[in-house]
Structures are given as C-alpha cells and as structure tokens.
Amino acid sequence: MKEQLEKLQIPFSLKDLGEIDVLEKLPVETREALYIALKQYGITILNDEKETLVDRIKNTIDEMLNDENARILKVSSYLSDKLNYTYSYLSSVFSENTYSSIENFVILRKVDIVKELLCDEELTLTEIAYRLNYSSVSHLSGQFKKTTGLTPSSFQRIMKRKKANSQQSVNF
C-alpha cells in the first residue's frame, strides 16, 4: 500500500491497523488510479469517517470472537474499550451505515464460526456452544436455524455428504 501511495506521489500518514490518512484532497484521476492500484491487493478505500468506524467495529468484533479470553466479555464493553467511543454512539453509527444492528452482526459472525467448527473439527454442539459463550446448546441451535434455515446437525450432515461426494469425484 505504501509503495502504491509513493508511486502516485500521494502524501500520507500511517495510522493504526492498516489505516492511512491521505493528507490532501486528491484529484479525481489520482483517486481512480489509487483505487485501481489498491484493488488488485484486495484493499478498499473508505472515504467517510463513519464508514471507517463501521469497518473498525466489524474488525474488532472478529478479533473478539477469535480470542477465547475476549469471547466471555460483553460485546458493548469490549467495543467501547477498544474503540474509545460509547457503545450507544458505535451502535448508532453501525446501524445508520449498515441498516443492521451490531447484535445481528455478532450473531451472523458467530453462526459463521459455528459452520466452520461443524465442518472442520470434531467438536460436539455442546463444546461449540461453550467455546462461543452461548448460554445453552438450544440457544445456539435456535440462532443457527433462524439464520441459516437449518439445524446445526442438518447442516453438518449436508456438509459431510458434500465433502464425501467431492472426495469420490477426485478418486475417479
């Protein structure tokens, strides 16, 4: 990213976690050239401070869900502490920009993790519920079914069948 900015002679300063501040307003041609140059690396440009904050909220939630010690904390406290804003402000900015709540985003991310664990590891649903700090297996199952339309065990059976079929195809 730094290389591309220097190549285009764009003055910038480095911030935290891969964030960069462009120090002056860029002409349209330069913006487009930067957008194209960074897109090839999978990097997107966020123009709006609130967009940037929403991105930071999402990344912080992912960080929390991937940290076994942080999973036991309340999302609201974790986000407020990490991002130095009140939770009500974070929640307001998030819903204003995504048309969804932080709580819903957390549920979707947790369900994604449950899917991965059901496919990749030999954990029971009880172990997965405990690992992701669900109050019970039925709570996890309810959220999973509401989000995916399938029970966790139905999803697991389908994925095992898919995996078995793809392995059979490879053997021919």
Side-chain angles (χ1 to χ4, degrees):
M1 186 162 43
K2 183 179 174 186
E3 176 186 323
Q4 295 299 325
L5 290 162
E6 288 170 351
K7 186 176 173 184
L8 293 167
Q9 298 178 342
I10 299 171
F12 65 94
S13 69
L14 295 173
K15 291 176 73 175
D16 60 326
L17 286 177
E19 288 181 39
I20 290 179
D21 268 340
V22 175
L23 301 175
E24 61 184 44
K25 190 161 174 67
L26 300 176
V28 174
E29 311 82 46
T30 307
R31 284 182 72 80
E32 288 175 6
L34 179 61
Y35 177 78
I36 291 166
L38 296 179
K39 189 175 182 182
Q40 68 185 341
Y41 298 107
I43 299 171
T44 50
I45 298 173
L46 301 176
N47 301 319
D48 182 322
E49 283 184 36
K50 288 185 178 180
E51 265 184 61
T52 303
L53 183 57
V54 167
D55 200 47
R56 289 179 64 205
I57 291 168
K58 289 178 177 180
N59 290 336
T60 304
I61 289 168
D62 287 341
E63 174 187 298
M64 178 185 179
L65 294 176
N66 289 314
D67 179 348
E68 289 183 36
N69 298 321
R71 284 185 204 141
I72 60 171
L73 304 171
K74 288 179 69 173
V75 173
S76 56
S77 303
Y78 188 81
L79 288 175
S80 293
D81 290 346
K82 287 284 187 173
L83 300 175
N84 297 316
Y85 291 100
T86 65
Y87 183 73
S88 60
Y89 177 74
L90 294 171
S91 180
S92 171
V93 168
F94 191 89
S95 58
E96 180 183 301
N97 284 269
T98 65
Y99 306 105
S100 183
S101 67
I102 289 175
E103 291 79 9
N104 193 51
F105 181 78
V106 171
I107 290 168
L108 293 173
R109 284 297 207 238
K110 279 182 151 183
V111 167
D112 285 343
I113 293 170
V114 171
K115 288 178 188 177
E116 288 174 26
L117 293 173
L118 287 171
C119 290
D120 297 340
E121 297 185 28
E122 295 297 320
L123 297 173
T124 67
L125 218 45
T126 302
E127 291 168 323
I128 293 171
Y130 177 78
R131 184 179 277 195
L132 293 174
N133 202 34
Y134 277 96
S135 57
S136 66
V137 172
S138 62
H139 183 220
L140 180 155
S141 296
Q143 278 189 348
F144 192 93
K145 182 162 175 123
K146 186 176 179 184
T147 304
T148 65
L150 298 167
T151 64
S153 53
S154 297
F155 173 83
Q156 194 173 38
R157 270 194 308 278
I158 290 167
M159 296 311 290
K160 281 184 179 175
R161 242 184 278 132
K162 254 184 155 178
K163 193 174 184 177
N165 289 341
S166 69
Q167 287 175 345
Q168 286 176 352
S169 301
V170 172
N171 292 334
F172 287 113

